[in-house]
Amino acid sequence: QVRVVESGGDLVQPGGSLTLACSVSGNNIYSIYDIAWFREQRDMVATITDTGSTELADFVKGRFTISRDNAKNIVYLQMNSLKPEDTAAYYCRADVNVWTGASARAVQRYWGQGTRVTVSS
């Protein structure tokens, strides 16, 4: 089974920085396609494709960056210049090509359990 696990959430002061990590693991993974970060499983924050192309929401451009370590199957969200309105649970969503049988594969979508970011003085 595929597991998506977020980490790095914390309490930080306005103007501070955090790095979130999203780890994707499983013994039936063939490949991992797009990985995205969402707030509250509702608002897309950033996405990165398997080839490294990225997209950032307008409300985080210039402050957040997304990167990916394909060897480790980890995606990072570097969050700088944090604002109180960035406070939210951040969720990772991964589109994964998994083995479903001896010679069959399918692309399935997985969500992590979220990590909480609180920006407050």
Side-chain angles (χ1 to χ4, degrees):
Q1 295 295 326
V2 175
R3 292 187 67 220
V4 178
V5 179
E6 304 95 334
S7 62
D10 205 345
L11 170 64
V12 63
Q13 293 187 343
S17 296
L18 276 178
T19 301
L20 305 184
C22 170
S23 174
V24 182
S25 62
N27 58 11
N28 60 336
I29 293 175
Y30 177 77
S31 62
I32 301 172
Y33 295 142
D34 297 359
I35 297 180
W37 285 97
F38 281 77
R39 285 178 182 172
E40 310 294 354
Q41 288 186 306
R42 179 187 63 234
D43 303 318
M44 191 277 290
V45 176
T47 66
I48 187 165
T49 69
D50 54 343
T51 58
S53 296
T54 63
E55 180 181 350
L56 294 169
D58 287 343
F59 56 82
V60 301
K61 282 181 180 176
R63 301 189 298 124
F64 292 11
T65 57
I66 186 170
S67 60
R68 181 169 180 156
D69 185 335
N70 285 331
K72 296 180 180 179
N73 290 342
I74 297 176
V75 167
Y76 301 97
L77 184 68
Q78 176 65 45
M79 312 165 70
N80 298 325
S81 303
L82 283 162
K83 305 175 182 179
E85 51 263 43
D86 293 320
T87 295
Y90 284 73
Y91 292 86
C92 184
R93 186 190 75 184
D95 291 332
V96 185
N97 195 350
V98 298
W99 291 101
T100 58
S103 59
R105 298 195 306 265
V107 179
Q108 297 182 353
R109 178 163 285 175
Y110 300 88
W111 288 88
Q113 293 300 304
T115 186
R116 185 77 186 174
V117 172
T118 301
V119 184
S120 175
S121 55

